[in-house]
Amino acid sequence: MYNKIRNIREEKCMTQEDLAKKSGISRTTISDLENQKVMNITTATMRKIAVDGLNSSIPEVFFDE
């Protein structure tokens, strides 16, 4: 699964730590997702990162190319 977490996060001038605080997901998990070390992710985690953390939609962050 390709994701654009890093791209969107950097466009919003956010660090991984900023995103972690805003989304409630650990910085380590965010790093692992950005570096594709973790491929399985729950819908709840996708929502926390995309909607709560990045103010985007799940498809925009995780599915749109």
Side-chain angles (χ1 to χ4, degrees), residues 1-3 29 32-33 36-46 49 62:
M1 169 179 61
Y2 172 73
N3 69 68
T29 299
D32 287 348
L33 287 166
Q36 299 187 7
K37 293 180 181 178
V38 173
M39 300 304 286
N40 295 326
I41 182 173
T42 66
T43 303
T45 299
M46 283 188 214
I49 291 171
F62 292 97

Side-chain angles (χ1 to χ4, degrees), residues 5-16 34:
I5 298 170
R6 176 180 285 134
N7 295 344
I8 295 171
R9 176 179 60 75
E10 289 177 348
E11 284 173 8
K12 295 178 181 281
C13 299
M14 295 175 74
T15 65
Q16 286 181 347
E34 287 185 354

